[in-house]
Amino acid sequence: MIFLQTEIKLKARKRGFHIITDEVLQAIPDIKKVNIGQLQVFIKHTSASLTINENADPSVRTDFESHINKMVPENASYYIHTYEGADDMPAHIKASLMGASVQIPISNGRLNLGIWQGIYLCEHRDFGGSRSVVITAFGN
């Protein structure tokens, strides 16, 4: 059994949905040694999240941002946690809805994603800063 793990800091990005698949793969080149296994990517933040979705048409990411902002609006009168700005509490809720990690099968040393799938960093803050992710691969 092979276990690989690294932690990387992603560059700061504007609010929205950003494909990070290549950055993840560059950080763990020894994934090619895993014939059958799993890759887990975990984000160490409470106001950003990860998901897997369309990697080809950028309008999908724009629509994600538009829709989630309607689902979880800023400045809701019932928010109590507002110390860090109008985008803070909604960012926490969005992060919980989207999730803190993704898990992907590894087959023959490569991620076994669908042809149009990629890993998204979902940045829910206007100025979230750089984000840390832990990347773990394991298998035979």
Side-chain angles (χ1 to χ4, degrees):
M1 189 88 150
I2 300 169
F3 288 91
L4 308 166
Q5 188 173 76
T6 190
E7 183 171 331
I8 63 171
K9 198 171 270 282
L10 300 170
K11 69 180 180 181
R13 288 176 166 85
K14 66 181 184 173
R15 185 155 116 175
F17 291 74
H18 310 276
I19 297 174
I20 61 166
T21 312
D22 289 342
E23 290 171 80
V24 168
L25 289 172
Q26 288 170 8
I28 195 155
D30 284 343
I31 194 174
K32 64 183 175 278
K33 296 178 182 176
V34 179
N35 189 42
I36 298 172
Q38 293 286 313
L39 179 83
Q40 183 194 43
V41 185
F42 174 80
I43 191 162
K44 295 173 66 173
H45 300 275
T46 61
S47 57
S49 56
L50 299 170
T51 195
I52 296 172
N53 216 292
E54 164 97 31
N55 68 356
D57 184 349
S59 68
V60 172
R61 296 188 306 277
T62 300
D63 288 348
F64 256 99
E65 178 66 11
S66 297
H67 185 78
I68 200 160
N69 287 334
K70 286 191 184 283
M71 284 177 53
V72 186
E74 292 184 9
N75 298 310
S77 61
Y78 49 85
Y79 292 155
I80 297 170
H81 179 77
T82 59
Y83 312 116
E84 295 180 44
D87 66 339
D88 189 35
M89 189 60 224
H92 293 307
I93 295 169
K94 292 171 186 178
S96 285
L97 289 172
M98 301 300 291
S101 67
V102 293
Q103 193 160 322
I104 304 161
I106 300 170
S107 301
N108 301 314
R110 301 183 68 203
L111 294 183
N112 198 342
L113 288 165
I115 192 166
W116 304 117
Q117 290 181 314
I119 304 168
Y120 286 14
L121 165 67
C122 313
E123 178 55 67
H124 304 303
R125 297 293 311 266
D126 290 330
F127 304 102
S130 62
R131 301 299 191 169
S132 296
V133 294
V134 178
I135 304 164
T136 306
F138 56 92
N140 293 315

